[in-house]
mmCIF file of all heavy atoms in Angstrom:
data_model
loop_
_atom_site.group_PDB
_atom_site.id
_atom_site.type_symbol
_atom_site.label_atom_id
_atom_site.label_comp_id
_atom_site.label_asym_id
_atom_site.label_seq_id
_atom_site.Cartn_x
_atom_site.Cartn_y
_atom_site.Cartn_z
ATOM 1 N N PRO A 71 11.946 27.805 1.452
ATOM 2 C CA PRO A 71 12.123 26.502 1.907
ATOM 3 C C PRO A 71 10.769 25.795 2.218
ATOM 4 O O PRO A 71 9.742 26.596 2.526
ATOM 5 C CB PRO A 71 12.823 26.589 3.366
ATOM 6 C CG PRO A 71 12.811 28.022 3.629
ATOM 7 C CD PRO A 71 12.438 28.796 2.294
ATOM 8 N N PHE A 72 10.550 24.469 2.131
ATOM 9 C CA PHE A 72 9.298 23.867 2.561
ATOM 10 C C PHE A 72 9.070 24.179 4.019
ATOM 11 O O PHE A 72 10.035 24.296 4.771
ATOM 12 C CB PHE A 72 9.406 22.242 2.382
ATOM 13 C CG PHE A 72 9.248 21.841 1.049
ATOM 14 C CD1 PHE A 72 10.297 21.429 0.205
ATOM 15 C CD2 PHE A 72 8.028 21.749 0.386
ATOM 16 C CE1 PHE A 72 10.163 20.941 -1.090
ATOM 17 C CE2 PHE A 72 7.773 21.306 -0.906
ATOM 18 C CZ PHE A 72 8.849 20.896 -1.564
ATOM 19 N N GLY A 73 7.863 24.399 4.368
ATOM 20 C CA GLY A 73 7.558 24.807 5.779
ATOM 21 C C GLY A 73 7.297 26.313 5.823
ATOM 22 O O GLY A 73 7.052 26.857 6.890
ATOM 23 N N SER A 74 7.508 27.025 4.704
ATOM 24 C CA SER A 74 7.309 28.520 4.700
ATOM 25 C C SER A 74 5.740 28.787 4.583
ATOM 26 O O SER A 74 4.920 28.007 4.509
ATOM 27 C CB SER A 74 7.817 29.089 3.435
ATOM 28 O OG SER A 74 9.303 28.893 3.409
ATOM 29 N N VAL A 75 5.591 30.117 4.763
ATOM 30 C CA VAL A 75 4.193 30.703 4.811
ATOM 31 C C VAL A 75 4.139 31.538 3.469
ATOM 32 O O VAL A 75 5.100 32.168 3.007
ATOM 33 C CB VAL A 75 3.971 31.589 6.008
ATOM 34 C CG1 VAL A 75 2.978 32.563 5.739
ATOM 35 C CG2 VAL A 75 3.612 30.598 7.173
ATOM 36 N N VAL A 76 2.918 31.543 2.839
ATOM 37 C CA VAL A 76 2.734 32.340 1.747
ATOM 38 C C VAL A 76 1.410 33.038 1.865
ATOM 39 O O VAL A 76 0.448 32.438 2.523
ATOM 40 C CB VAL A 76 2.840 31.658 0.334
ATOM 41 C CG1 VAL A 76 1.801 30.576 0.200
ATOM 42 C CG2 VAL A 76 3.001 32.458 -0.812
ATOM 43 N N PHE A 77 1.181 34.288 1.444
ATOM 44 C CA PHE A 77 -0.136 35.000 1.548
ATOM 45 C C PHE A 77 -0.785 35.122 0.245
ATOM 46 O O PHE A 77 -0.161 35.275 -0.847
ATOM 47 C CB PHE A 77 0.078 36.304 2.158
ATOM 48 C CG PHE A 77 0.677 36.181 3.508
ATOM 49 C CD1 PHE A 77 2.056 36.327 3.756
ATOM 50 C CD2 PHE A 77 -0.232 36.021 4.671
ATOM 51 C CE1 PHE A 77 2.620 36.162 5.022
ATOM 52 C CE2 PHE A 77 0.303 35.970 5.855
ATOM 53 C CZ PHE A 77 1.626 36.006 6.109
ATOM 54 N N SER A 78 -2.146 34.885 0.258
ATOM 55 C CA SER A 78 -2.915 34.923 -1.028
ATOM 56 C C SER A 78 -3.130 36.351 -1.514
ATOM 57 O O SER A 78 -3.138 37.319 -0.748
ATOM 58 C CB SER A 78 -4.280 34.227 -0.809
ATOM 59 O OG SER A 78 -4.952 34.909 0.167
ATOM 60 N N GLN A 79 -3.150 36.488 -2.865
ATOM 61 C CA GLN A 79 -3.303 37.777 -3.462
ATOM 62 C C GLN A 79 -4.701 38.027 -3.912
ATOM 63 O O GLN A 79 -5.313 37.017 -4.263
ATOM 64 C CB GLN A 79 -2.267 37.887 -4.577
ATOM 65 C CG GLN A 79 -0.793 37.771 -4.117
ATOM 66 C CD GLN A 79 0.115 38.263 -5.186
ATOM 67 O OE1 GLN A 79 -0.201 39.115 -6.026
ATOM 68 N NE2 GLN A 79 1.358 37.687 -5.078
ATOM 69 N N PRO A 80 -5.164 39.218 -4.180
ATOM 70 C CA PRO A 80 -4.657 40.366 -3.745
ATOM 71 C C PRO A 80 -4.428 40.558 -2.246
ATOM 72 O O PRO A 80 -5.390 40.204 -1.489
ATOM 73 C CB PRO A 80 -5.509 41.523 -4.283
ATOM 74 C CG PRO A 80 -6.784 40.770 -4.726
ATOM 75 C CD PRO A 80 -6.503 39.363 -4.822
ATOM 76 N N TYR A 81 -3.272 41.066 -1.863
ATOM 77 C CA TYR A 81 -2.953 41.120 -0.334
ATOM 78 C C TYR A 81 -3.965 41.898 0.375
ATOM 79 O O TYR A 81 -4.365 41.527 1.545
ATOM 80 C CB TYR A 81 -1.585 41.620 -0.073
ATOM 81 C CG TYR A 81 -0.442 40.767 -0.763
ATOM 82 C CD1 TYR A 81 0.506 41.325 -1.554
ATOM 83 C CD2 TYR A 81 -0.366 39.325 -0.525
ATOM 84 C CE1 TYR A 81 1.579 40.589 -2.199
ATOM 85 C CE2 TYR A 81 0.643 38.621 -1.142
ATOM 86 C CZ TYR A 81 1.520 39.290 -1.913
ATOM 87 O OH TYR A 81 2.622 38.579 -2.516
ATOM 88 N N GLU A 82 -4.441 43.028 -0.221
ATOM 89 C CA GLU A 82 -5.280 43.997 0.462
ATOM 90 C C GLU A 82 -6.618 43.374 0.788
ATOM 91 O O GLU A 82 -7.141 43.493 1.931
ATOM 92 C CB GLU A 82 -5.463 45.280 -0.302
ATOM 93 C CG GLU A 82 -4.207 46.056 -0.525
ATOM 94 C CD GLU A 82 -3.390 45.408 -1.640
ATOM 95 O OE1 GLU A 82 -3.857 44.644 -2.506
ATOM 96 O OE2 GLU A 82 -2.169 45.611 -1.631
ATOM 97 N N SER A 83 -7.246 42.653 -0.139
ATOM 98 C CA SER A 83 -8.574 42.206 0.000
ATOM 99 C C SER A 83 -8.617 40.710 0.462
ATOM 100 O O SER A 83 -9.510 40.240 1.084
ATOM 101 C CB SER A 83 -9.368 42.255 -1.241
ATOM 102 O OG SER A 83 -8.753 41.650 -2.318
ATOM 103 N N GLN A 84 -7.550 40.015 0.227
ATOM 104 C CA GLN A 84 -7.421 38.562 0.615
ATOM 105 C C GLN A 84 -6.361 38.444 1.693
ATOM 106 O O GLN A 84 -6.666 38.476 2.948
ATOM 107 C CB GLN A 84 -7.190 37.659 -0.499
ATOM 108 C CG GLN A 84 -8.308 37.693 -1.586
ATOM 109 C CD GLN A 84 -9.603 37.101 -1.038
ATOM 110 O OE1 GLN A 84 -9.660 36.278 -0.106
ATOM 111 N NE2 GLN A 84 -10.726 37.178 -1.877
ATOM 112 N N GLY A 85 -5.206 38.218 1.286
ATOM 113 C CA GLY A 85 -4.040 38.190 2.291
ATOM 114 C C GLY A 85 -4.205 37.036 3.239
ATOM 115 O O GLY A 85 -3.777 37.182 4.443
ATOM 116 N N TYR A 86 -4.767 35.895 2.813
ATOM 117 C CA TYR A 86 -4.857 34.774 3.827
ATOM 118 C C TYR A 86 -3.465 33.955 3.827
ATOM 119 O O TYR A 86 -2.734 34.000 2.951
ATOM 120 C CB TYR A 86 -5.933 33.772 3.348
ATOM 121 C CG TYR A 86 -7.298 34.405 3.636
ATOM 122 C CD1 TYR A 86 -8.008 35.153 2.691
ATOM 123 C CD2 TYR A 86 -7.940 34.089 4.962
ATOM 124 C CE1 TYR A 86 -9.205 35.614 3.127
ATOM 125 C CE2 TYR A 86 -9.167 34.610 5.295
ATOM 126 C CZ TYR A 86 -9.819 35.370 4.269
ATOM 127 O OH TYR A 86 -11.008 35.993 4.631
ATOM 128 N N LYS A 87 -3.253 33.417 5.093
ATOM 129 C CA LYS A 87 -1.980 32.798 5.379
ATOM 130 C C LYS A 87 -2.138 31.239 4.885
ATOM 131 O O LYS A 87 -3.003 30.596 5.421
ATOM 132 C CB LYS A 87 -1.754 32.936 6.822
ATOM 133 C CG LYS A 87 -0.386 32.408 7.186
ATOM 134 C CD LYS A 87 -0.299 32.824 8.707
ATOM 135 C CE LYS A 87 0.787 32.166 9.359
ATOM 136 N NZ LYS A 87 0.887 32.493 10.852
ATOM 137 N N PHE A 88 -1.194 30.911 4.037
ATOM 138 C CA PHE A 88 -1.269 29.417 3.605
ATOM 139 C C PHE A 88 0.195 28.895 3.995
ATOM 140 O O PHE A 88 1.183 29.540 3.870
ATOM 141 C CB PHE A 88 -1.342 29.320 2.099
ATOM 142 C CG PHE A 88 -2.702 29.545 1.547
ATOM 143 C CD1 PHE A 88 -3.199 30.880 1.486
ATOM 144 C CD2 PHE A 88 -3.476 28.512 1.112
ATOM 145 C CE1 PHE A 88 -4.430 31.092 0.984
ATOM 146 C CE2 PHE A 88 -4.704 28.736 0.698
ATOM 147 C CZ PHE A 88 -5.258 30.115 0.520
ATOM 148 N N TYR A 89 0.181 27.653 4.563
ATOM 149 C CA TYR A 89 1.523 26.971 4.814
ATOM 150 C C TYR A 89 1.765 26.095 3.681
ATOM 151 O O TYR A 89 0.964 25.469 3.066
ATOM 152 C CB TYR A 89 1.334 26.123 6.150
ATOM 153 C CG TYR A 89 1.055 26.953 7.334
ATOM 154 C CD1 TYR A 89 -0.229 27.049 7.943
ATOM 155 C CD2 TYR A 89 2.159 27.497 7.995
ATOM 156 C CE1 TYR A 89 -0.486 27.794 9.073
ATOM 157 C CE2 TYR A 89 1.876 28.304 9.113
ATOM 158 C CZ TYR A 89 0.607 28.491 9.586
ATOM 159 O OH TYR A 89 0.396 29.140 10.763
ATOM 160 N N VAL A 90 3.098 26.067 3.436
ATOM 161 C CA VAL A 90 3.577 25.316 2.197
ATOM 162 C C VAL A 90 4.498 24.075 2.729
ATOM 163 O O VAL A 90 5.630 24.424 3.182
ATOM 164 C CB VAL A 90 4.356 26.032 1.218
ATOM 165 C CG1 VAL A 90 4.604 25.256 -0.109
ATOM 166 C CG2 VAL A 90 3.594 27.337 0.923
ATOM 167 N N LEU A 91 3.941 22.890 2.849
ATOM 168 C CA LEU A 91 4.721 21.800 3.384
ATOM 169 C C LEU A 91 5.154 20.832 2.241
ATOM 170 O O LEU A 91 4.546 20.714 1.166
ATOM 171 C CB LEU A 91 3.799 20.984 4.449
ATOM 172 C CG LEU A 91 3.495 21.751 5.675
ATOM 173 C CD1 LEU A 91 2.708 20.731 6.620
ATOM 174 C CD2 LEU A 91 4.708 22.293 6.374
ATOM 175 N N LYS A 92 6.180 20.026 2.567
ATOM 176 C CA LYS A 92 6.536 19.000 1.635
ATOM 177 C C LYS A 92 5.535 17.797 1.851
ATOM 178 O O LYS A 92 5.400 17.369 3.070
ATOM 179 C CB LYS A 92 8.030 18.439 2.078
ATOM 180 C CG LYS A 92 8.700 17.579 1.035
ATOM 181 C CD LYS A 92 10.029 17.273 1.449
ATOM 182 C CE LYS A 92 11.009 17.602 0.393
ATOM 183 N NZ LYS A 92 12.412 17.466 0.791
ATOM 184 N N PRO A 93 4.941 17.272 0.839
ATOM 185 C CA PRO A 93 3.903 16.222 1.078
ATOM 186 C C PRO A 93 4.596 15.016 1.664
ATOM 187 O O PRO A 93 5.696 14.599 1.217
ATOM 188 C CB PRO A 93 3.343 15.995 -0.328
ATOM 189 C CG PRO A 93 4.004 17.031 -1.321
ATOM 190 C CD PRO A 93 5.141 17.629 -0.593
ATOM 191 N N LEU A 94 3.754 14.329 2.523
ATOM 192 C CA LEU A 94 4.118 12.965 3.035
ATOM 193 C C LEU A 94 3.429 12.006 2.250
ATOM 194 O O LEU A 94 2.362 12.295 1.623
ATOM 195 C CB LEU A 94 3.692 12.901 4.573
ATOM 196 C CG LEU A 94 4.350 13.894 5.465
ATOM 197 C CD1 LEU A 94 3.758 13.749 6.877
ATOM 198 C CD2 LEU A 94 5.848 13.624 5.524
ATOM 199 N N PRO A 95 3.872 10.660 2.379
ATOM 200 C CA PRO A 95 3.089 9.652 1.583
ATOM 201 C C PRO A 95 1.630 9.674 1.998
ATOM 202 O O PRO A 95 0.710 9.526 1.194
ATOM 203 C CB PRO A 95 3.800 8.351 2.081
ATOM 204 C CG PRO A 95 5.208 8.755 2.282
ATOM 205 C CD PRO A 95 5.039 10.157 2.886
ATOM 206 N N SER A 96 1.303 9.948 3.201
ATOM 207 C CA SER A 96 -0.070 9.860 3.722
ATOM 208 C C SER A 96 -0.909 11.002 3.001
ATOM 209 O O SER A 96 -2.037 10.895 2.819
ATOM 210 C CB SER A 96 -0.196 10.015 5.202
ATOM 211 O OG SER A 96 0.622 11.202 5.691
ATOM 212 N N ASP A 97 -0.212 12.113 2.657
ATOM 213 C CA ASP A 97 -0.974 13.057 1.997
ATOM 214 C C ASP A 97 -1.322 12.859 0.603
ATOM 215 O O ASP A 97 -2.415 13.229 0.078
ATOM 216 C CB ASP A 97 -0.092 14.576 1.929
ATOM 217 C CG ASP A 97 0.284 14.914 3.396
ATOM 218 O OD1 ASP A 97 -0.508 14.745 4.324
ATOM 219 O OD2 ASP A 97 1.461 15.360 3.542
ATOM 220 N N TYR A 98 -0.432 12.152 -0.077
ATOM 221 C CA TYR A 98 -0.778 11.624 -1.411
ATOM 222 C C TYR A 98 -2.127 10.944 -1.373
ATOM 223 O O TYR A 98 -2.932 11.080 -2.265
ATOM 224 C CB TYR A 98 0.288 10.663 -1.980
ATOM 225 C CG TYR A 98 1.616 11.198 -2.256
ATOM 226 C CD1 TYR A 98 2.767 10.649 -1.698
ATOM 227 C CD2 TYR A 98 1.772 12.302 -3.061
ATOM 228 C CE1 TYR A 98 4.036 11.234 -2.004
ATOM 229 C CE2 TYR A 98 3.065 12.823 -3.299
ATOM 230 C CZ TYR A 98 4.094 12.264 -2.860
ATOM 231 O OH TYR A 98 5.315 12.727 -3.054
ATOM 232 N N VAL A 99 -2.264 10.098 -0.357
ATOM 233 C CA VAL A 99 -3.353 9.171 -0.418
ATOM 234 C C VAL A 99 -4.712 9.895 -0.102
ATOM 235 O O VAL A 99 -5.651 9.733 -0.828
ATOM 236 C CB VAL A 99 -3.176 8.178 0.815
ATOM 237 C CG1 VAL A 99 -4.295 7.185 0.772
ATOM 238 C CG2 VAL A 99 -1.939 7.340 0.616
ATOM 239 N N ILE A 100 -4.704 10.645 0.968
ATOM 240 C CA ILE A 100 -5.946 11.340 1.337
ATOM 241 C C ILE A 100 -6.434 12.464 0.287
ATOM 242 O O ILE A 100 -7.591 12.554 0.040
ATOM 243 C CB ILE A 100 -5.856 11.964 2.699
ATOM 244 C CG1 ILE A 100 -5.444 10.817 3.779
ATOM 245 C CG2 ILE A 100 -7.110 12.670 3.151
ATOM 246 C CD1 ILE A 100 -6.573 9.825 4.041
ATOM 247 N N TYR A 101 -5.531 13.029 -0.245
ATOM 248 C CA TYR A 101 -5.904 14.172 -1.111
ATOM 249 C C TYR A 101 -5.875 13.932 -2.602
ATOM 250 O O TYR A 101 -5.872 14.735 -3.430
ATOM 251 C CB TYR A 101 -5.135 15.392 -0.732
ATOM 252 C CG TYR A 101 -5.513 15.860 0.610
ATOM 253 C CD1 TYR A 101 -4.746 15.451 1.804
ATOM 254 C CD2 TYR A 101 -6.830 16.433 0.883
ATOM 255 C CE1 TYR A 101 -5.138 15.743 2.996
ATOM 256 C CE2 TYR A 101 -7.177 16.765 2.151
ATOM 257 C CZ TYR A 101 -6.434 16.393 3.209
ATOM 258 O OH TYR A 101 -6.936 16.599 4.502
ATOM 259 N N MET A 102 -5.519 12.632 -2.949
ATOM 260 C CA MET A 102 -5.418 12.252 -4.366
ATOM 261 C C MET A 102 -6.927 12.189 -4.893
ATOM 262 O O MET A 102 -7.820 11.660 -4.166
ATOM 263 C CB MET A 102 -4.912 10.863 -4.360
ATOM 264 C CG MET A 102 -4.389 10.337 -5.618
ATOM 265 S SD MET A 102 -3.430 8.887 -5.363
ATOM 266 C CE MET A 102 -1.833 9.574 -5.364
ATOM 267 N N SER A 103 -7.110 12.628 -6.146
ATOM 268 C CA SER A 103 -8.528 12.550 -6.615
ATOM 269 C C SER A 103 -8.768 11.028 -6.776
ATOM 270 O O SER A 103 -7.953 10.294 -7.189
ATOM 271 C CB SER A 103 -8.648 13.300 -7.858
ATOM 272 O OG SER A 103 -7.798 12.803 -8.860
ATOM 273 N N ARG A 104 -10.049 10.619 -6.487
ATOM 274 C CA ARG A 104 -10.262 9.107 -6.365
ATOM 275 C C ARG A 104 -11.600 8.841 -7.037
ATOM 276 O O ARG A 104 -12.532 9.597 -7.123
ATOM 277 C CB ARG A 104 -10.384 8.749 -4.952
ATOM 278 C CG ARG A 104 -11.310 9.593 -4.170
ATOM 279 C CD ARG A 104 -11.284 9.069 -2.702
ATOM 280 N NE ARG A 104 -10.496 9.955 -1.883
ATOM 281 C CZ ARG A 104 -10.603 9.899 -0.567
ATOM 282 N NH1 ARG A 104 -11.562 9.227 0.035
ATOM 283 N NH2 ARG A 104 -9.823 10.671 0.151
#
Side-chain angles (χ1 to χ4, degrees):
F72 280 103
S74 299
V75 156
V76 67
F77 295 96
S78 58
Q79 296 196 30
Y81 298 129
E82 300 73 24
S83 55
Q84 297 289 348
Y86 284 91
K87 187 172 166 183
F88 288 74
Y89 295 99
V90 188
L91 294 186
K92 192 177 233 176
L94 298 174
S96 52
D97 303 326
Y98 292 125
V99 182
I100 300 291
Y101 295 98
M102 197 169 259
S103 57
R104 53 178 97 162

